[in-house]
Amino acid sequence: MVRVLCLGYSVTELPGYVERANALAEAEGRPVTFLRSGWGGHSLPSVAALIDEILDAIPCDRVLLELFTGNVRYFDGATMRAYLDDILAATARRNLPAAFLNLHQGGVDYAAEPVAGLLAEYRALYGIPYLDIAEPVAAAGAGDITYLLKDATHVTPAGADLYGLLVYSFLRAPPPGRAYIDRFRDLPVRFEALPLRALPGLSCGFALRRNGIPLDFLEIPEGARVAVPLGRPRDVIGLLVTYGPQAGTLTVQDPATGRTQALVAYDEFSYYTRSMFRSVTLPAARALTLAQSAERPDIALRKGAPDPGPRIGRVSHVVCRRRLSLAQRAARLLHRLRRGLRRIGLRVGLARGA
């Protein structure tokens, strides 16, 4: 049985194209099964930070990366490439063929947006194939596409059928996305995601199972302060927290320096509980102190009434940037240099062929 991991955001997380692709495989008697790791509301940084944990938790034979819906277009091209490199380095270390999936998102000008060019670049430079559902759906936008989409991004049952059919057809024969592996497998790992359940003296009693991997959260009651030991100096760049009805403002402090940052872990969708990555910059921290404020965010929910009870903060991972050696930094620089030269060569070749 060939296992295809569909790794992406909310369209992948919710029931839809994964189930339809599996139904088609079963109907044809194909020895393929589609697995799911969906991170609704997340973006490239959290997937890049957690990619090793995801791949360790969900054994697979191929990976379909649905990474381009959601808020990726606020990254510049260099930043987007760097995060994609982190993700592809992890799949390459496991010798996994990879492909990209580009899904529709309302409000994007698909004639001018940067992702399509980026996908074409990765296909030309590294042989990574992609399935582009975004452009044909956008092209149909002059007509009535509400039978496919229930909002700007998420599919109706008919949309799930179409997406599932296209994904299954795309992966029915093995895609060629193995050529990239030799160019990515030796890239050094930039991030380290520390699960708090593995740190001494912490009890992580709140479990969330939305994403295909176990997330166990340390809970910080309103008014409480919890010390999180990091073992050695680490460059903290973010936390994995929950947004939800009881969330509010979580304060993160480096007790050695007094540097403090406040995170409002609440938004208009906090009528349900979900994980979110939040950026925090605390370099060389040996420990963190987490404190939960009693303040209730003044943010209107899309539906339902706000929870009037005490606030509670939850943290499952501390994400750190690794301190790379000179040789490791040189390896990443050489990778970027080679890509730049290959991109120039590609543009020159296209110009000559025009």
Side-chain angles (χ1 to χ4, degrees), residues 282-307:
L282 293 171
R286 289 182 175 272
L288 300 177
T289 300
L290 307 177
Q292 178 59 49
S293 166
E295 179 183 356
R296 289 170 174 76
D298 184 19
I299 299 173
L301 297 175
R302 286 252 180 141
K303 64 180 182 180
D307 189 311

Side-chain angles (χ1 to χ4, degrees), residues 8-311:
Y9 304 131
S10 58
V11 179
T12 294
E13 178 181 4
L14 296 170
Y17 78 85
V18 175
E19 285 77 7
R20 181 58 177 154
N22 274 322
L24 290 168
E26 183 177 359
E28 286 199 348
R30 291 271 173 175
V32 58
T33 185
F34 294 85
L35 310 174
R36 182 202 327 273
S37 185
W39 296 78
H42 286 253
S43 190
L44 289 171
S46 47
V47 175
L50 292 164
I51 182 64
D52 283 303
E53 188 170 345
I54 293 168
L55 295 176
D56 287 345
I58 311 175
C60 61
D61 303 294
R62 303 178 200 158
V63 181
L64 181 64
L65 296 167
E66 182 261 297
L67 300 174
F68 306 104
T69 53
N71 297 320
V72 300
R73 290 168 180 83
Y74 57 75
F75 296 120
D76 61 70
T79 302
M80 201 183 307
R81 288 182 183 89
Y83 284 128
L84 288 178
D85 287 354
D86 295 317
I87 295 165
L88 291 171
T91 57
R93 288 192 296 272
R94 293 164 173 81
N95 292 308
L96 295 173
F100 290 135
L101 174 60
N102 191 24
L103 299 182
H104 182 269
Q105 182 177 359
V108 174
D109 180 2
Y110 284 99
E113 62 92 32
V115 168
L118 187 72
L119 297 181
E121 174 190 305
Y122 272 74
R123 181 173 62 186
L125 298 183
Y126 305 120
I128 299 176
Y130 67 91
L131 171 62
D132 184 8
I133 299 176
E135 190 170 2
V137 171
D144 181 11
I145 59 172
T146 58
Y147 72 99
L148 296 176
L149 300 173
K150 59 186 179 182
D151 56 27
T153 303
H154 301 94
V155 292
T156 64
D161 286 346
L162 175 62
Y163 281 21
L165 175 62
L166 293 173
V167 166
Y168 176 65
S169 299
F170 177 59
L171 295 172
R172 191 170 180 268
R178 186 182 291 277
Y180 81 100
I181 290 176
D182 287 341
R183 298 185 180 277
F184 283 83
R185 73 163 82 243
D186 294 326
L187 279 181
V189 180
R190 284 200 300 163
F191 305 114
E192 180 180 22
L194 300 175
L196 267 59
R197 65 176 181 269
L199 300 181
L202 300 177
S203 177
C204 298
F206 180 82
L208 195 63
R209 297 292 184 270
R210 292 175 55 89
N211 307 106
I213 69 170
L215 296 178
D216 298 309
F217 288 84
L218 171 72
E219 294 192 312
I220 305 100
E222 181 179 301
R225 298 172 64 85
V226 178
V228 176
L230 299 180
R232 57 178 172 81
R234 299 178 189 268
D235 294 332
V236 176
I237 61 168
L239 302 178
L240 202 65
V241 303
T242 61
Y243 278 38
Q246 295 176 299
T249 299
L250 185 69
T251 299
V252 187
Q253 183 182 65
D254 177 351
T257 64
R259 290 177 298 210
T260 303
Q261 294 187 31
L263 306 178
V264 179
Y266 194 93
D267 63 10
E268 60 185 345
F269 300 101
S270 292
Y271 48 83
Y272 72 101
T273 300
R274 68 199 194 279
S275 65
M276 292 290 286
F277 175 82
R278 290 298 305 272
S279 296
V280 172
T281 304
L282 293 171
R286 289 182 175 272
L288 300 177
T289 300
L290 307 177
Q292 178 59 49
S293 166
E295 179 183 356
R296 289 170 174 76
D298 184 19
I299 299 173
L301 297 175
R302 286 252 180 141
K303 64 180 182 180
D307 189 311
R311 304 294 91 189

